[in-house]
Amino acid sequence: SASFNWEDPLAASELYTEEELAIQDTARQYCQERLLPRVLDGYRNEQYDRKIIKEMGELGLLGASIEGYGCAGASTVASGLIAKEVERVDSGYRSGMSVQSSLIMTGIYEFGTQEQKDRFLPELANGNLVGCFGLTEPNHGSDPGSIETIAKEHPTKKGQYLLSGAKTWITNSPISDVMLVWAKLESTGKIRGFLVERSKCPPGTLETPAIKNKNGLRASITGMIQMDDCPVAAENMFPDVEGLRGPFTCLNSARLGIAFGAMGALEDSLSRARTYALDRKQFKGNPLAKYQLIQKKLADAATDAAYGTLAATQVARLKDSNKLTPEMISMVKRQNCDRALTNVRALQEIFGGNAASDEYHIGRHVSNLFVVQTYEGQSDIHALILGRAITGVQAFC
Ligand code: TGC
Ligand code: FAD
């Protein structure tokens, strides 16, 4: 007969295929054995080890739902479960992976020429190359339609563009070999995607300084992309896609990964809070877990983690059966990030003063989840996307 499993209360695992469960197991083993032991050091010292991308590539975790090019060709659910396992350790590690898998690899796979796919995808899949995605600018975050980075045709060299402008808050940029930069074509004013290769940029045309002293996502590396007449061959431009459909298609994939990932961070926090509440005794030798107010925090977190996982799984299945709409992704990205952040903040209280020590890990999840709720469309922006779909009236401006 069935028994209640607090770690999977609504039996989400029943919805996964054997292959998906095997991929989740591989990811969990790697994350717990190889990433968890590094995370405190990485977070304390703001150090991201580039080897992590290579290790993930060797295990087939990068671009896992892409067919061919050395990728696993797994389901969207399997990709989501990978994100969940990585973020169970740290949102920053999931971030570095999301940018590689969902943002740049998906962009090339969906919109690249055959030559671009052949040249970049296998090397991004095995982690030999590190990539990033440059959309946000110092003056334009939630409103990427207003970006100012410009691509103009080279005045003398045919088949070459010169990119100028600045991108900021770009995950992986300081260590990237190839950057997917979104810029407006001077001649048309339309947004286009360019694959900027660091090795082909003459000195002084490209800088990618790191943004230091973050108070969240410290185990990932974040920086700027500063371009000053940076030459990019026309063969490195996506040939057809114009406007925001390009970057948003990549974001659809990454946002769904975040909806799974945030549930990993929440589940890890729940598990740690439960252990702490059973061990820690206050008032006549009772464990904290005996008190009703503590139990409510655990019940709330377990409920939201279970609901969020099921919802993300449903959206991923709809994606694989071509029944997805972007609003579905907005709904699960927003809800899962909001619920993860709210619950993790409540669970943090269970640790009392010890929550202030990073060795209990809970404070790290809280700080990370604030960023996760903000990037790839802050929660209120996703509320407006949903509001527009519900009413037919847009409220952005
Ligand atoms: P809007 O008029 O809504 O749309 C413009 C064009 O884009 C198309 N489109 C989509 N296409 C595919 N998927 C989607 N989800 C799409 N959403 C819109 C749309 O059909 C239209 O196409 P066309 O051909 O008619 O031109 O555009 P808007 O300017 O009104 O957009 C407003 C808003 C708020 C929805 C949008 O700008 C938005 O989502 N803002 C949030 C910005 C954001 O998410 N930035 C993310 C930066 S990357 C990042 O954070 C990576 S962190 C990674 C990590 O470290 O893990
Ligand atoms: P703003 O757009 O200035 O928004 C500030 C606040 O105002 C938000 O709460 C927002 O919801 C609200 N707001 C804005 N407009 C409206 C409105 N019309 N109605 C109501 N409220 C509104 N970007 C990339 O391109 N690539 C990356 O790899 C990347 N990685 C990141 C990593 C980190 C660690 C961080 C912190 C950010 C990263 N970003 C990246 C940038 C991220 O996507 C943006 O920070 C995010 O989209 C929000 O933009 P903003 O910071 O400019 O905030």
Side-chain angles (χ1 to χ4, degrees):
S1 68
S3 59
F4 183 77
N5 174 6
W6 66 268
E7 292 177 286
D8 185 12
L10 298 177
S13 54
E14 293 289 321
L15 302 175
Y16 304 142
T17 64
E18 300 257 307
E19 188 193 5
E20 287 162 351
L21 289 170
I23 291 173
Q24 181 179 27
D25 272 355
T26 303
R28 184 176 293 206
Q29 195 181 349
Y30 165 70
C31 294
Q32 295 299 312
E33 290 177 7
R34 308 282 302 280
L35 291 183
L36 186 58
R38 287 150 140 155
V39 72
L40 279 185
D41 238 25
Y43 199 87
R44 281 175 190 164
N45 302 312
E46 268 191 299
Q47 264 166 16
Y48 181 75
D49 186 351
R50 188 192 153 111
K51 280 201 296 247
I52 291 172
I53 293 280
K54 183 86 188 130
E55 291 164 7
M56 289 177 167
E58 279 162 10
L59 287 173
L61 304 181
L62 300 175
S65 53
I66 291 176
E67 293 280 351
Y69 307 99
C71 302
S75 68
T76 302
V77 170
S79 285
L81 293 174
I82 294 170
K84 190 173 174 187
E85 290 312 320
V86 177
E87 196 150 356
R88 197 183 293 282
V89 177
D90 192 84
S91 306
Y93 289 151
R94 196 267 309 132
S95 219
M97 182 184 75
S98 292
V99 165
Q100 181 95 351
S101 293
S102 294
L103 292 179
I104 183 163
M105 291 180 73
T106 298
I108 296 171
Y109 186 66
E110 292 289 335
F111 302 118
T113 61
Q114 191 57 50
E115 188 274 331
Q116 290 167 357
K117 291 180 199 182
D118 292 337
R119 186 148 55 103
F120 292 112
L121 284 178
E123 293 292 290
L124 288 164
N126 65 26
N128 282 345
L129 289 181
V130 174
C132 69
F133 179 90
L135 181 63
T136 305
E137 299 185 351
N139 296 325
H140 309 285
S142 300
D143 176 22
S146 303
I147 57 170
E148 296 168 54
T149 297
I150 203 91
K152 57 183 184 206
E153 283 178 38
H154 197 289
T156 54
K157 288 191 190 151
K158 215 170 154 32
Q160 198 169 88
Y161 288 96
L162 297 173
L163 267 62
S164 294
K167 301 289 176 182
T168 194
W169 289 115
I170 307 303
T171 302
N172 286 356
S173 81
I175 58 164
S176 283
D177 306 293
V178 52
M179 299 155 222
L180 173 48
V181 170
W182 299 95
K184 281 186 178 159
L185 212 55
E186 189 185 45
S187 53
T188 62
K190 296 265 171 64
I191 294 177
R192 304 293 296 257
F194 293 85
L195 294 163
V196 179
E197 292 173 88
R198 187 187 293 278
S199 62
K200 299 201 172 150
C201 300
T205 62
L206 174 82
E207 303 288 341
T208 55
I211 298 173
K212 300 302 282 182
N213 305 323
K214 289 179 294 185
N215 52 26
L217 237 67
R218 290 172 59 83
S220 84
I221 180 156
T222 318
M224 297 188 75
I225 305 175
Q226 297 165 334
M227 294 154 292
D228 184 8
D229 279 344
C230 179
V232 182
E235 65 189 27
N236 277 24
M237 181 173 78
F238 288 162
D240 298 319
V241 71
E242 269 189 351
L244 285 174
R245 190 172 69 82
F248 282 150
T249 301
C250 308
L251 285 165
N252 288 339
S253 167
R255 288 167 173 175
L256 183 50
I258 290 178
F260 277 95
M263 295 299 95
L266 176 54
E267 284 182 7
D268 185 59
S269 304
L270 169 65
S271 168
R272 292 180 186 281
R274 175 182 173 275
T275 302
Y276 189 88
L278 287 166
D279 289 348
R280 173 80 175 169
K281 299 193 174 54
Q282 287 295 290
F283 295 99
K284 305 197 178 198
N286 290 318
L288 294 177
K290 182 177 185 306
Y291 300 117
Q292 293 167 355
L293 294 174
I294 302 286
Q295 290 199 3
K296 180 173 182 303
K297 290 185 172 90
L298 299 173
D300 286 346
T303 304
D304 281 332
Y307 271 58
T309 298
L310 289 185
T313 300
Q314 164 72 351
V315 174
R317 287 271 183 255
L318 290 171
K319 183 174 183 200
D320 283 341
S321 52
N322 288 323
K323 292 180 186 152
L324 178 83
T325 72
E327 291 80 8
M328 296 171 181
I329 294 174
S330 285
M331 189 176 277
V332 290
K333 195 278 180 185
R334 170 176 181 252
Q335 180 73 0
N336 287 8
C337 289
D338 286 359
R339 296 316 303 161
L341 181 57
T342 301
N343 279 292
V344 169
R345 278 175 175 156
L347 292 171
Q348 188 179 29
E349 294 167 2
I350 293 176
F351 294 80
N354 283 336
S357 158
D358 64 3
E359 290 184 0
Y360 288 85
H361 298 274
I362 189 82
R364 185 168 51 79
H365 283 312
V366 172
S367 303
N368 284 340
L369 285 166
F370 168 76
V371 177
V372 176
Q373 188 205 41
T374 299
Y375 62 29
E376 306 217 10
Q378 201 270 347
S379 278
D380 286 348
I381 296 298
H382 287 293
L384 297 182
I385 292 171
L386 290 167
R388 176 173 63 183
I390 293 165
T391 64
V393 183
Q394 77 98 336
F396 298 108
C397 53

